[in-house]
Amino acid sequence: MSRAPRRGPLVGVLLMWAAGAAAQAVLEPGNTTTTTNATSTDSTAPTALSLNVHDGGVFALDAGSITDGFPTYLNNLDLSVTVQGENCLLTWVEMDLEGFSCVFDSVRVIVAGVEVAKVCGREVPVPTQVFGSAFTLRFVTDSVITQTGFSVNFQCGLMTPAPPTSVPPTPTPPTPAPPTPVPPPTPAPPTQPGTDATALSLNVHDGGVFALDAGSITDGFPTYLNNLDLSVTVQGENCLLTWVEMDLEAHFNCAFDSVRVVVAGVEVA
């Protein structure tokens, strides 16, 4: 099925923030489904089982397999199943999903809330190693194009994480000599305008790092350009971002044009 042609450049985005605001929950458009998995309490639960991601649930298993369970999977799915097992190896057996950088349909492996693998397409991926006490397999599809699906086997308890590298003891430093008198420090030059203000209007095209309490950020053009990858960093404690204007090329999963908020290397919005 062909997709609608992408629209040309649009207006852009403007946001404002204020430091010290309370933390806010963030939901991406189209990702508001909450799945509740029921945990089996049967003490005689098997150690190997074939699981269907449509059934969901939490399972304490040593080995087994997971599949989407349909000859052709459906559109608009967001399904997950969790396996409780130590240090598991996932061996992919079948893989036939709509593939384009795993933007449309994908299988994701999540450990302790962190996505450690995302697979799609028609080539069987290399095995995935999972270190931890449990993993969640999440199957997500978009609204068009379906294919055969996937199947993966898992085996737990076979791998041991590499031990930490030993660190040699730090030698005791020699007794320092008496300090040499130093002249008073030369006063630092005044800060350039805008680099340490309490409020400022920033343009993402200019980039940079700013210590600010409040301000605004915009793309700064009546119509933004193609092929951009720009960023600006704000140093401030517990900030609230209030989006004022938003006119970017639309896509349900922000696959084409997007504004991303990154904290400590992790994309949070």
Side-chain angles (χ1 to χ4, degrees):
M1 179 180 294
S2 62
R3 299 183 176 275
R6 295 177 55 182
R7 297 189 294 129
L10 303 177
V11 174
V13 59
L14 172 65
L15 63 88
M16 300 183 68
W17 78 92
Q24 302 291 321
V26 178
L27 291 177
E28 294 180 351
N31 189 25
T32 58
T33 302
T34 302
T35 302
T36 302
N37 293 330
T39 304
S40 173
T41 57
D42 184 0
S43 61
T44 62
T47 58
L49 190 67
S50 179
L51 307 178
N52 188 320
V53 72
H54 284 263
D55 297 332
V58 179
F59 300 85
L61 298 171
D62 296 327
S65 63
I66 305 174
T67 180
D68 64 293
F70 282 82
T72 301
Y73 60 80
L74 304 178
N75 287 318
N76 301 313
L77 298 178
D78 192 346
L79 310 170
S80 63
V81 63
T82 297
V83 173
Q84 294 176 336
E86 292 287 339
N87 304 329
C88 301
L89 178 66
L90 279 63
T91 303
W92 303 94
V93 179
E94 298 178 6
M95 181 61 59
D96 185 16
L97 307 183
E98 180 185 9
F100 179 74
S101 300
C102 298
V103 172
F104 304 128
D105 300 346
S106 63
V107 180
R108 310 173 187 188
V109 181
I110 301 169
V111 178
V114 178
E115 185 178 285
V116 299
K118 180 190 287 187
V119 296
C120 62
R122 294 188 173 182
E123 293 186 5
V124 176
V126 298
T128 302
Q129 294 181 336
V130 175
F131 293 107
S133 59
F135 71 87
T136 296
L137 189 142
R138 182 182 176 195
F139 182 36
V140 180
T141 68
D142 66 1
S143 59
V144 295
I145 303 179
T146 62
Q147 295 177 182
T148 303
F150 74 94
S151 175
V152 60
N153 295 335
F154 61 89
Q155 182 77 39
C156 301
L158 299 180
M159 303 180 299
T160 301
T165 304
S166 59
V167 178
T170 303
T172 303
T175 303
T180 303
V182 295
T186 303
T191 305
Q192 294 182 355
T195 60
D196 197 22
T198 57
L200 190 67
S201 178
L202 307 178
N203 188 321
V204 72
H205 284 264
D206 297 333
V209 179
F210 300 85
L212 299 172
D213 296 328
S216 63
I217 305 175
T218 180
D219 64 299
F221 282 81
T223 300
Y224 61 82
L225 304 178
N226 288 317
N227 301 314
L228 296 178
D229 188 353
L230 309 173
S231 63
V232 64
T233 298
V234 173
Q235 295 175 336
E237 291 290 332
N238 304 327
C239 299
L240 174 67
L241 277 63
T242 303
W243 303 92
V244 179
E245 296 177 11
M246 179 64 65
D247 188 7
L248 305 183
E249 181 178 13
H251 184 268
F252 81 98
N253 201 23
C254 295
F256 302 140
D257 297 348
S258 64
V259 179
R260 309 176 185 183
V261 181
V262 181
V263 177
V266 179
E267 184 175 292
V268 300

